[in-house]
């Protein structure tokens, strides 16, 4: 490709028969955000009932710590920290794909009902069969994927447009939220308490099986997102232009919706509904890049940083009371949503 036709700061990287574009500012931003996420994770590993230094935590990670340090860091705290990183990354990619698919910066899995589907299915699992943690996570995964398929079917009218997908998603989300509330009113207080804890979005007591679930989801779905993102650039030109240039518009939309729903489902199944991260992370990256569309790697790093930081705040800043990570992201994310809406009103557009 002629370099004079590329956007400023973009380079073509070739290797092993594969060529791809690298946007310099986005790569630098991804590196900075990734390093910040790692730093917050290391700090998080040192804090708790058994405080230690960063050097102690690092020694335990590389197998040079005492048995007690190794147990506390590797067996008790590391699974939670890795789950936080994975959940943030998955939600950020899910939000980025949906926002570009719908061409609307206010769209996220929270808005179009995917999280509501996961919540309804998880609560149903808890109140009907008293589901274990694994069953609840499986129910959430099933619910989110089912809603993703239902959204595509309900929004399909000779193809799926972003506008119709958002409208259908809002209606589905409202219905599923009502169903969740109804289920909570029909169960006993103990089951309702369990369900409410899950609905708050928490990373407490996360173990290696949770890490495995979110890691497998990322390893399978992020490469698919990268491949589909190349076609997504064609969709930004409009359906007619994309079809003329050889793009398979509806297949790409279906694929993007599936990947986005599956990533949100994977994150929700291990942590519950953690709100606003999918909405906020791509927008933060977009603004840091000068209002250019956010890069995938930078969004992944930003989402991981947000969830890890929110979990650290919820664990350490409230005098011994641990707040769920979903509560913290809600407190921090709601003002940002209001800012996006106010900014959109000033500009006379979506955001």
């Amino acid at each position: 490709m002629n370099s004079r036709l590329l956007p400023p700061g973009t380079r073509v990287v070739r290797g092993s028969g594969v060529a791809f574009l690298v946007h310099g500012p986005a790569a630098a931003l991804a590196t900075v955000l990734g390093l910040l996420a790692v730093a917050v994770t290391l700090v998080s590993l040192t804090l708790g009932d058994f405080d230690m230094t960063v050097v102690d935590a690092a020694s335990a990670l590389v197998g040079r710590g005492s048995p007690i340090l190794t147990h506390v860091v590797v067996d008790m705290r590391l699974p939670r920290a890795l789950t936080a990183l994975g959940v943030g990354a998955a939600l950020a990619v899910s939000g980025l794909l949906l926002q570009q698919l719908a061409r609307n910066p206010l769209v996220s899995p929270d808005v179009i009902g995917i999280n509501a589907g996961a919540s309804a299915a998880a609560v149903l699992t808890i109140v009907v069969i008293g589901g274990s943690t694994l069953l609840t996570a499986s129910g959430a995964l099933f619910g989110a994927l089912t809603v993703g398929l239902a959204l595509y079917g309900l929004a399909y009218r000779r193809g799926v447009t972003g506008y119709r997908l958002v409208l259908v998603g809002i209606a589905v989300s409202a219905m599923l939220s009502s169903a969740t509330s109804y289920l909570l009113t029909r169960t006993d207080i103990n089951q309702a308490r369990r369900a409410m804890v899950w609905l708050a979005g928490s990373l407490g007591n996360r173990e290696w099986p949770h890490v495995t679930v979110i890691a497998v989801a990322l390893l399978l779905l992020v490469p698919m997102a990268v491949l589909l993102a190349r076609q997504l650039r064609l969709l930004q030109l409009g359906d007619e232009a994309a079809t003329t240039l050889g793009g398979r518009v509806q297949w790409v939309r279906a694929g993007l919706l599936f990947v986005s729903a599956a990533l949100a489902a994977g994150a929700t199944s291990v942590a519950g509904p953690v709100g606003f991260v999918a909405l906020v992370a791509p927008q933060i990256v977009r603004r840091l890049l000068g209002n250019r569309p956010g890069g995938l790697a930078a969004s992944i790093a930003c989402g991981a940083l947000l969830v890890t930081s929110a979990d650290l705040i919820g664990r350490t800043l409230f005098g011994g009371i641990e707040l769920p990570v979903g509560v913290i992201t809600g407190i921090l994310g709601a003002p940002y949503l209001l800012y996006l809406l106010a900014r959109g009103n000033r500009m006379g557009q979506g955001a």
Side-chain angles (χ1 to χ4, degrees):
M1 182 180 291
N2 191 331
S3 61
R4 290 176 297 181
L5 301 178
L6 298 175
T10 302
R11 297 287 184 273
V12 179
V13 177
R14 295 183 173 87
S16 302
V18 178
F20 51 90
L21 300 178
V22 175
H23 185 230
L29 180 61
T31 302
V32 171
L33 293 174
L35 291 174
L36 286 174
V38 171
V40 173
T41 300
L42 277 175
V43 172
S44 179
L45 291 176
T46 67
L47 300 177
D49 294 334
F50 187 93
D51 287 345
M52 64 187 76
T53 66
V54 173
V55 174
D56 290 337
S59 299
L61 288 175
V62 298
R64 295 183 177 179
S66 67
I68 293 179
L69 281 179
T70 302
H71 173 68
V72 171
V73 172
V74 177
D75 297 333
M76 299 177 64
R77 295 180 182 172
L78 186 58
R80 177 175 185 151
L82 293 178
T83 303
L85 290 170
V87 166
L91 289 176
V93 178
S94 177
L96 176 67
L97 294 181
L98 278 181
Q99 288 172 10
Q100 295 193 1
L101 176 63
R103 299 180 195 174
N104 188 328
L106 299 179
V107 176
S108 73
D110 319 289
V111 174
I112 67 169
I114 292 173
N115 284 2
S119 300
V123 172
L124 182 67
T125 304
I126 292 172
V127 303
V128 174
I129 61 176
S132 63
T133 300
L134 183 59
L135 275 177
T136 303
S138 301
L141 190 64
F142 175 79
L145 291 176
T146 302
V147 168
L149 291 174
L151 283 176
Y152 190 83
L154 291 170
Y156 190 89
R157 296 289 184 278
R158 299 177 182 176
V160 173
T161 63
Y163 178 73
R164 194 183 301 130
L165 181 67
V166 172
L167 287 181
V168 171
I170 291 173
V172 169
S173 179
M175 287 190 293
L176 290 171
S177 297
S178 298
T180 301
S181 299
Y182 174 76
L183 288 171
L184 290 174
T185 64
R186 303 297 296 176
T187 187
D188 64 73
I189 187 68
N190 292 323
Q191 299 287 45
R193 186 181 296 117
R194 278 193 60 204
M196 290 304 296
V197 169
W198 191 88
L199 287 172
S202 174
L203 290 166
N205 300 319
R206 291 308 183 259
E207 299 175 346
W208 286 106
H210 298 96
V211 178
T212 302
V213 170
I214 194 64
V216 170
L218 289 170
L219 288 173
L220 291 178
L221 295 169
V222 169
M224 295 174 64
V226 172
L227 293 175
L228 288 168
R230 303 178 69 176
Q231 292 290 320
L232 189 58
R233 297 189 189 98
L234 286 179
L235 295 185
Q236 307 303 318
L237 303 174
D239 288 3
E240 291 186 6
T243 303
T244 302
L245 293 173
R248 305 178 71 178
V249 174
Q250 295 309 326
W251 281 106
V252 172
R253 283 208 174 99
L256 288 168
L257 182 59
F258 169 78
V259 172
S260 176
L263 283 167
T268 307
S269 68
V270 298
V274 180
F276 289 106
V277 176
L279 170 72
V280 168
Q283 290 305 310
I284 290 176
V285 170
R286 185 186 181 109
R287 276 154 179 75
L288 289 175
L289 291 175
N291 221 27
R292 296 185 183 89
L296 190 66
S299 295
I300 288 174
C302 186
L305 176 61
L306 287 177
V307 174
T308 304
S309 301
D311 186 46
L312 180 60
I313 291 171
R315 282 203 305 121
T316 59
L317 291 190
F318 297 95
I321 299 174
E322 181 175 320
L323 293 184
V325 65
V327 174
I328 303 299
T329 58
I331 292 172
L332 299 178
Y336 191 77
L337 175 60
L338 292 176
Y339 160 75
L340 287 179
L341 291 171
R343 186 173 183 275
N345 287 335
R346 286 199 303 271
M347 297 177 64
Q349 58 186 30

